[in-house]
Amino acid sequence: MKQLTIQSSSHAYDVIIGAGLRKKFSQKLGKSYKKILIITDSKVSSLYLEDIKAGLPDHEDLSHVIVPAGEASKSMDQYSRLLDKCIEEQLDRSSLIVGLGGGMVGDLAGFVASTYLRGVDFLQMPTTILAHDSSVGGKVAINHEQGKNLIGSFYSPVQVIYDTDTLRTLPDSEVRSGYGEVVKHALLSDMDWVKEVLSEDLSELSYSQLGNHLLAGIKVKASIVEEDEKEHGVRQHLNLGHTLAHALESDLGYGEITHGEAVAIGIFFAMKVSEKVLESTLPIGAYSAWLKTNEYPVEKLSNLNPERLVNRMKWDKKTIEDRIHFVLLKGVGSPAVVPIPEDDLVNYLKEFIEEVIQIDERD
């Protein structure tokens, strides 16, 4: 078992990582709660909900609610339904909300916790690789039809309990999704880690390699969040790849591409733009080969309209005074936030989409 402590502006909280933690839930809780509400989704509930309940054998006032699996559940309708459940269960400010699942569940449960009674405790129990990123740092949100995570707040959990056994049931698409964030953390860090990740066939990862990458990613996120919790400075660097990714998710329809797959494609675009704007030298060839080896769905770009994508980017939280800001790389481990003129961005996207389609057709 490994443990990290993260200092937010309101409190410190522990991230506990290890195998079998879901079955020892009561032993790992930092304090006692009279009422606990578990929020999970329709896929995770059948796998792990009963284990969590069994891990709280002496807790009488324990309830749960299940939302449909998929990004579409980060909606106003589900948010309202969950608030109704909180009221029905008569949760008070001494209650706990648990988000059991991937990033969607964590974001949704956290936003409910942040707004119900102006804030009740919530605990993250991630069950995906992707959630190693989203469960740490206190960003919670729901989506709007105009864009991803447009309605949200900064609200840190009281704990993150990460049972790595839950990763054994992940399908290939979720492994790809998770590594969209892992490779981001590597590119923000150092070339040795980048080379290691880009040499991986994700279908052949050992459990030990996975654990090491997750811990390293959480450490990167933690160090940045502690320095800049509210995203006024260096935390913006964690948005590498996300400006295009959020536009892709919104344009394709939530659930048509996983968040991490979209981020991986967005990073590819950011690397290309970095070469043009900053004259950077980056491992683009190795990155392109890694996307191909691991079957990232770059073919989904083929029917997308660059102008429409740019219009969606204008709704992104990283847009300031109508100027779209991109996280680019001066080099591995050296990010920069750069405003990109709209016309230039449209042209860069046209070139990128055409190039990706040509590579895909040659293959």
Side-chain angles (χ1 to χ4, degrees):
M1 187 180 78
K2 297 180 175 67
Q3 184 168 321
L4 300 172
T5 299
I6 297 176
Q7 182 64 57
S8 74
S9 59
S10 59
H11 62 273
Y13 61 95
D14 291 333
V15 180
I16 306 170
I17 307 167
L21 295 179
R22 68 193 185 282
K23 298 178 180 179
K24 307 171 186 175
F25 192 23
S26 63
Q27 301 171 30
K28 300 302 176 185
L29 274 178
K31 59 184 281 191
S32 61
Y33 295 92
K34 182 179 179 181
K35 295 175 181 284
I36 298 178
L37 172 65
I38 301 169
I39 297 174
T40 188
D41 70 33
S42 53
K43 288 185 179 178
V44 174
S45 60
S46 62
L47 295 169
Y48 304 118
L49 180 57
E50 292 307 314
D51 287 345
I52 301 301
K53 290 181 176 180
L56 292 162
D58 301 321
H59 207 285
E60 296 179 0
D61 206 338
L62 177 64
S63 57
H64 71 270
V65 60
I66 300 171
V67 301
E71 187 72 14
S73 281
K74 275 176 58 174
S75 67
M76 192 65 76
D77 286 346
Q78 290 298 328
Y79 169 65
S80 178
R81 174 182 168 235
L82 293 175
L83 289 177
D84 289 344
K85 181 66 174 177
C86 291
I87 294 168
E88 176 189 330
E89 296 296 333
Q90 298 182 342
L91 300 189
D92 58 24
R93 283 185 172 171
S94 63
S95 302
L96 175 70
I97 290 176
V98 176
L100 171 65
M104 178 278 287
V105 168
D107 281 2
L108 180 59
F111 187 55
V112 170
S114 74
T115 52
Y116 178 69
L117 300 181
R118 296 192 178 97
V120 299
D121 284 359
F122 92 106
L123 182 149
Q124 293 265 29
M125 292 200 72
T127 60
T128 65
I129 301 170
L130 184 70
H132 87 280
D133 180 80
S134 59
S135 64
V136 173
K139 281 186 177 181
V140 295
I142 57 175
N143 299 330
H144 187 277
E145 62 180 13
Q146 291 292 341
K148 187 178 172 74
N149 296 336
L150 290 184
I151 305 165
S153 57
F154 290 93
Y155 194 72
S156 293
V158 294
Q159 278 180 281
V160 179
I161 298 177
Y162 201 154
D163 185 346
T164 52
D165 277 350
T166 63
L167 305 180
R168 297 183 186 274
T169 59
L170 292 179
D172 290 345
S173 61
E174 284 299 326
V175 175
R176 278 196 303 272
S177 185
Y179 266 77
E181 295 287 2
V182 171
V183 77
K184 177 194 77 175
H185 290 140
L187 285 163
L188 294 173
S189 300
D190 64 78
M191 183 60 81
D192 286 343
W193 189 13
V194 170
K195 289 179 179 177
E196 180 183 343
V197 173
L198 296 186
S199 69
E200 302 288 2
D201 180 334
L202 299 183
S203 65
E204 298 176 357
L205 273 176
S206 72
Y207 201 55
S208 174
Q209 287 171 305
L210 177 55
N212 290 337
H213 290 163
L214 291 179
L215 183 61
I218 291 171
K219 286 181 177 179
V220 170
K221 178 95 179 253
S223 66
I224 292 174
V225 167
E226 286 182 340
E227 183 177 347
D228 176 28
E229 184 177 9
K230 297 294 180 69
E231 205 169 332
H232 298 307
V234 295
R235 185 166 182 171
Q236 296 176 69
H237 298 161
L238 291 168
N239 292 318
L240 176 65
H242 283 62
T243 304
L244 177 57
H246 288 172
L248 290 176
E249 290 179 86
S250 179
D251 204 62
L252 289 167
Y254 295 119
E256 291 300 313
I257 187 172
T258 68
H259 174 65
E261 288 172 336
V263 168
I265 293 169
I267 289 172
F268 193 23
F269 178 64
M271 292 170 78
K272 291 281 191 180
V273 176
S274 296
E275 282 197 334
K276 295 178 183 295
V277 175
L278 302 178
E279 298 183 350
S280 307
T281 301
L282 297 166
I284 289 180
Y287 190 84
S288 176
W290 180 76
L291 292 178
K292 178 186 175 184
T293 296
N294 293 293
E295 299 181 352
Y296 282 85
V298 293
E299 71 279 356
K300 289 184 179 289
L301 291 168
S302 60
N303 296 320
L304 297 183
N305 179 278
E307 288 85 358
R308 191 172 64 237
L309 288 174
V310 170
N311 283 332
R312 289 196 179 277
M313 290 180 199
K314 291 178 182 178
W315 284 99
D316 192 272
K317 301 176 295 303
K318 295 169 283 299
T319 296
I320 303 171
E321 296 179 352
D322 292 328
R323 301 187 74 189
I324 300 172
H325 287 63
F326 260 78
V327 181
L328 302 180
L329 292 168
K330 292 181 283 187
V332 171
S334 183
V337 180
V338 180
I340 306 294
E342 185 176 332
D343 289 345
D344 289 349
L345 190 53
V346 170
N347 289 331
Y348 294 152
L349 274 169
K350 285 179 179 177
E351 292 175 14
F352 179 66
I353 291 172
E354 288 174 1
E355 182 176 343
V356 166
I357 291 171
Q358 288 171 3
I359 292 172
D360 193 52
E361 287 176 345
R362 286 200 301 268
D363 296 336

